[in-house]
Amino acid sequence: MPSLQDLATIALVGAGATAVLDAWLLLLQRLGLPTMNFVLLGRWVGHGLRGRWRHAAIAQAAPVAGERGLGWLVHYLVGIAFAALLAALPGGWLQAPTLWPALAFGVGTVAVPLFVMQPAMGLGFAARKTPAPLQNCARSLTNHAVFGVGLYLAAVAVQQIGR
């Protein structure tokens, strides 16, 4: 069972990596590029908590009370959960973080939006129902690679603080 210190480290690494992703998304927004709308994530989760996980178009589903806050909360909780999964892999990455496992893991997490969330939100498998599926998949892959780099940077930062 992980220690309280390990759990705190995982939470800091996951939140830090998610913050790196958010900084990247903010940069993309400032450049005029579309990014994930966390209101829609909150709406999807809000409907899911009431038993409805599949939608023809989540943007047209009825709004859910507190969906913006719920979306942001889930966004950070998922980042922390991903950090926990990486930390649980054999090899002790959390104790001695290196870039390549974090980057590879981050890239691997793209499977969740492409093959679970997008189809459930009405965007199709790997965004195939969007106007630019390949562009959307490439953007998702890039975002998750940034998250992977964020896992590494956050783990190194937490390690440095702990010294």
Side-chain angles (χ1 to χ4, degrees):
M1 182 165 157
S3 70
L4 191 56
Q5 182 177 356
D6 289 341
L7 292 175
T9 299
I10 289 166
L12 289 170
V13 169
T18 305
V20 169
L21 172 60
D22 289 341
W24 170 253
L25 295 175
L26 183 60
L27 174 65
L28 293 179
Q29 285 177 345
R30 300 261 166 119
L31 295 173
L33 298 171
T35 62
M36 174 67 182
N37 182 344
F38 295 109
V39 169
L40 297 180
L41 174 61
R43 184 174 299 172
W44 179 62
V45 170
H47 280 283
L49 293 173
R50 294 180 179 111
R52 182 165 183 221
W53 289 102
R54 291 194 55 78
H55 297 267
I58 192 64
Q60 294 163 3
V64 173
E67 61 188 17
R68 179 178 310 280
L70 180 59
W72 279 97
L73 176 65
V74 168
H75 172 58
Y76 272 83
L77 290 175
V78 167
I80 292 167
F82 282 154
L85 287 174
L86 176 58
L89 293 176
W93 179 86
L94 195 60
Q95 287 70 39
T98 55
L99 176 60
W100 295 114
L103 180 60
F105 185 85
V107 167
T109 63
V110 78
V112 174
L114 293 181
F115 307 134
V116 177
M117 292 174 60
Q118 290 174 359
M121 291 179 166
L123 302 173
F125 188 79
R128 72 175 169 79
K129 292 183 179 179
T130 65
L134 289 177
Q135 185 179 19
N136 289 329
C137 288
R139 189 174 294 123
S140 288
L141 184 63
T142 301
N143 292 344
H144 284 256
V146 168
F147 175 75
V149 171
L151 286 167
Y152 170 70
L153 294 174
V156 169
V158 169
Q159 200 175 52
Q160 292 298 315
I161 292 168
R163 288 186 178 175

